[in-house]
Each structure stands twice: as structure tokens, then as C-alpha cells.
Amino acid sequence: GDVECAAIKNGKYSAGVLPSESILQSVLDKCQAKFRRPQGDKVSAFAPEIVNYDIELKYFTTVDEEQQCIETIEGAGGAIQKYLEWQDSVIGKHINPDKLEALCVHPNWDSYKTLQGAVRVELVKPEHLDLTGKQVARFSGNLTITHGIVSDY
């Protein structure tokens, strides 16, 4: 049978980086060693197909919590960045907008400080999309975020 190895690189400061030709060759070399695969298999290594997605959302908060909420969702290390790291880091991971909404409404990734989430989120993009084991999600760079104020909730 054929063995296909799709590869991406995840690092401390990057997620889902496509591999260089030298990395693909290294993967191929490791997979082709006789003690690592059954005899007769054809082994190939490749970079996955990129499936781009945009982000467009509006979130709502209160006047009192507005600045904290903006920082939690849009700031460095905030919900948007956490989503990009999560979504783009695994080959074949379906594009899941529910995860983005959850991060915006229930930010709980920092145990050292209280993070203020949104009261609600109106999510336009991304849309849910099933990916194959030969595809990886990639944020297109098209980001539209707005926020509104609610009087009480």
C-alpha cells in the first residue's frame, strides 16, 4: 500500500507553518527506513493543501467591562490569537467557528488573572468546514472585528 505523510511545523511562536523541501525530505527519510514501515510500501511526504478562512465578528460587552473585553478578545494573546493558534496547528482539523465563539465568551486560558469575555458574539465568518487529512486551515489575514455595548444582560 501507499503511505502519504503530510507535514506542518509547529513552534513556540508559530503554528501550522508549511515545511520546506529539506524538512519534507527529512520526513521521507525517516519514514522510508526499513525498520519503520512494511516492505513494499511506497512512501511520499508533502505539504498539505491550504484552506483559507476569514474572521468576521461583532461582540457585545457592557460599558464598565469594555476595555477589559477588548484586550481579552483583540489584544496580544487574546481570543483571536488563541483561535488562530488552535485552528491552524493541525492537519485535517475542521474549521470550527464554535471554538472562536467559546474563546470570546468564556476566556479561561490564564489562571493568573480574570479575563473579561463578551456578553454575546455575532459570528459571520468563518463558517464550519470539514477538512481532509491532506488539508490544513490557514487564516487569510482578512479580519473584521467590531464591538457593541449592551446596557444590561
Side-chain angles (χ1 to χ4, degrees):
D2 293 346
V3 177
E4 297 178 324
C5 302
I8 58 173
K9 180 180 174 187
N10 291 317
K12 185 174 182 180
Y13 301 107
S14 62
V17 176
L18 293 181
S20 64
E21 285 300 319
S22 64
I23 296 292
L24 289 175
Q25 187 58 51
S26 178
V27 168
L28 193 57
D29 292 344
K30 295 286 185 190
C31 291
Q32 284 186 331
K34 287 187 180 194
F35 61 89
R36 294 191 188 258
R37 65 170 178 83
Q39 288 185 344
D41 283 349
K42 178 185 173 199
V43 179
S44 60
F46 61 92
E49 173 192 351
I50 293 173
V51 177
N52 288 310
Y53 64 92
D54 301 334
I55 293 177
E56 182 178 342
L57 63 87
K58 181 175 185 177
Y59 62 92
F60 296 85
T61 185
T62 64
V63 171
D64 294 340
E65 298 168 344
E66 182 179 17
Q67 289 308 311
Q68 275 187 304
C69 190
I70 291 170
E71 183 63 29
T72 299
I73 293 174
E74 300 180 52
I80 300 299
Q81 185 175 349
K82 296 288 183 198
Y83 178 75
L84 296 177
E85 292 168 359
W86 175 84
Q87 182 64 72
D88 296 3
S89 63
V90 177
I91 296 168
K93 183 184 286 184
H94 304 317
I95 297 175
N96 186 351
D98 299 336
K99 178 70 172 184
L100 177 55
E101 183 174 359
L103 288 167
C104 290
V105 174
H106 303 290
N108 61 359
W109 56 83
D110 191 337
S111 60
Y112 298 104
K113 66 180 180 177
T114 302
L115 300 171
Q116 186 57 53
V119 173
R120 81 172 193 268
V121 176
E122 293 175 357
L123 192 57
V124 178
K125 295 177 185 177
E127 294 179 1
H128 187 278
L129 180 64
D130 291 343
L131 300 186
T132 70
K134 295 181 179 184
Q135 297 174 313
V136 67
R138 180 63 37 91
F139 175 55
S140 67
N142 296 326
L143 177 65
T144 305
I145 300 178
T146 57
H147 72 275
I149 302 297
V150 295
S151 56
D152 57 24
Y153 62 100

